[in-house]
Amino acid sequence: MGSSNFAVVLPVALVVVMLGLGLTLTPQDFHRVVRHPKAVSIALVCQLVVLPALCLLLVVLFGLTGVLAVGMMLLVASPGGTSANLFSHLAGGDVALNIVLTAINSVLAAFTMPIVITLSVAAFMDDDAGVGLQPAKLIQVIVIVLVPVAIGMWIKHRYPGFAERMAKPVKIASMAVLVMAVTVAVGSEFDTLRANFGRLGLITVLLSVLSLSIGYFVPRWFGVGVRQAVASSMEIGIHNATLAIAVAVSALGSEAMAVPAATYGIVMGGPAAISAFLLARRAKSAPDQADSRARRAELLG
């Protein structure tokens, strides 16, 4: 199936993206995230509890059943897409927080995805059979996220001048590779998307918009800084559609179940780009509370 081609292209895209982001990070970024765990906790609750409940409500309201309903739940149960790190970077978010959340979500997905899939299959397909996430896929996601970032951070530490010169070219290359990956997704899933896009387009757009909004406003309501809230919005609002496609096709053996994720992979770019543009203006105009506290601590220390 064409989606398998997408699954081959995406890891290459993500390696380039994560390497570029690693060139912008230092260990101090992660130390600051650890010192302020509230943003991580709130984002994880939104990702693991609020979004599945929201998606279930949308599935019921839109009357989806069978494999399409399970496919939607599989999509929302997948960890945040690693492209969220790039959008967060463009929007002025706390990219270190994105990296931490992506890594944590990837580990938790080993437990949460099988639970969501099992309950969804039982609810929408009258089947009590449980399905587990293949460990190799989880390891692949973690490696794709962490290894290139670590290499990029090492390059920045060892060759800071080179890292600074390469930051912009790598960012451009990252965007080009992501566009190529989306193009592959459209081409490989064209017939399936054409047959189902009208039915699934609206629900996936709503899921994208609501996820991005929840990811930003809920942390802000709890006093999280702007840059961290931007990172949370992108992490929660951009789901790993390709991982959902790969699990549906290879682990669950259902191409139809991959259609919602494929549809989402096409439509989510618009809401994500608009959100990144709007949030970038807010992040630039509003000081980040966590950064302010860190600077005050440094001055006092």
Side-chain angles (χ1 to χ4, degrees):
M1 179 185 175
S3 60
S4 61
N5 296 329
F6 189 26
V8 171
V9 172
L10 186 67
V12 178
L14 297 183
V15 166
V16 175
V17 171
M18 303 310 291
L19 177 63
L21 291 174
L23 293 175
T24 69
L25 296 175
T26 64
Q28 287 71 27
D29 295 321
F30 294 93
H31 295 160
R32 182 167 55 81
V33 170
V34 173
R35 291 200 304 268
H36 301 88
K38 181 168 69 172
V40 176
S41 302
I42 294 173
L44 289 177
V45 170
C46 290
Q47 179 84 34
L48 300 176
V49 179
V50 178
L51 288 193
L54 171 65
C55 186
L56 178 61
L57 177 62
L58 291 175
V59 166
V60 173
L61 289 178
F62 278 77
L64 293 183
T65 58
V67 292
L68 294 182
V70 177
M72 282 297 301
M73 297 304 298
L74 169 61
L75 169 65
V76 81
S78 64
T82 48
S83 57
N85 301 284
L86 177 60
F87 278 103
S88 180
H89 180 64
L90 297 176
D94 188 339
V95 179
L97 176 60
N98 284 108
I99 302 296
V100 171
L101 287 173
T102 299
I104 295 174
N105 282 331
S106 297
V107 173
L108 293 179
F111 307 97
T112 59
M113 288 186 73
I115 294 173
V116 172
I117 293 170
T118 299
L119 295 176
S120 300
V121 169
F124 297 109
M125 299 182 66
D126 297 324
D127 189 343
D128 293 328
V131 181
L133 179 64
Q134 295 180 0
K137 296 185 182 301
L138 173 64
I139 295 174
Q140 181 186 31
V141 173
I142 296 175
V143 169
I144 289 174
V145 171
L146 297 182
V147 172
V149 170
I151 294 174
M153 291 180 65
W154 178 83
I155 293 175
K156 181 177 177 63
H157 173 74
R158 186 68 177 82
Y159 307 102
F162 174 77
E164 184 176 352
R165 291 193 302 271
M166 291 300 297
K168 184 175 181 179
V170 171
K171 183 188 295 186
I172 296 174
S174 300
M175 292 296 296
V177 174
L178 285 175
V179 170
M180 180 185 66
V182 171
T183 302
V184 172
V186 173
S188 63
E189 298 289 339
F190 181 75
D191 291 338
T192 306
L193 288 173
R194 182 175 58 181
N196 296 275
F197 190 83
R199 184 180 185 188
L200 295 172
L202 182 56
I203 187 174
T204 49
V205 168
L206 282 175
L207 177 64
S208 178
V209 172
L210 292 174
S211 298
L212 290 163
S213 300
I214 289 172
Y216 179 79
F217 287 108
V218 171
R220 290 296 289 155
W221 287 337
F222 284 91
V224 172
V226 172
R227 290 186 65 243
Q228 291 178 314
V230 170
S232 173
S233 174
M234 294 303 165
E235 184 68 28
I236 293 171
I238 300 178
H239 306 284
N240 196 331
T242 303
L243 178 62
I245 291 173
V247 171
V249 174
S250 59
L252 305 180
S254 174
E255 297 181 355
M257 197 177 291
V259 172
T263 305
Y264 172 85
I266 303 305
V267 304
M268 70 87 178
I274 294 173
S275 297
F277 173 77
L278 296 176
L279 292 176
R281 299 176 61 184
R282 179 163 301 207
K284 183 179 296 186
S285 62
D288 184 77
Q289 296 175 5
D291 287 343
S292 299
R293 288 194 297 267
R295 285 194 294 270
R296 287 198 299 268
E298 290 175 0
L299 290 175
L300 293 175

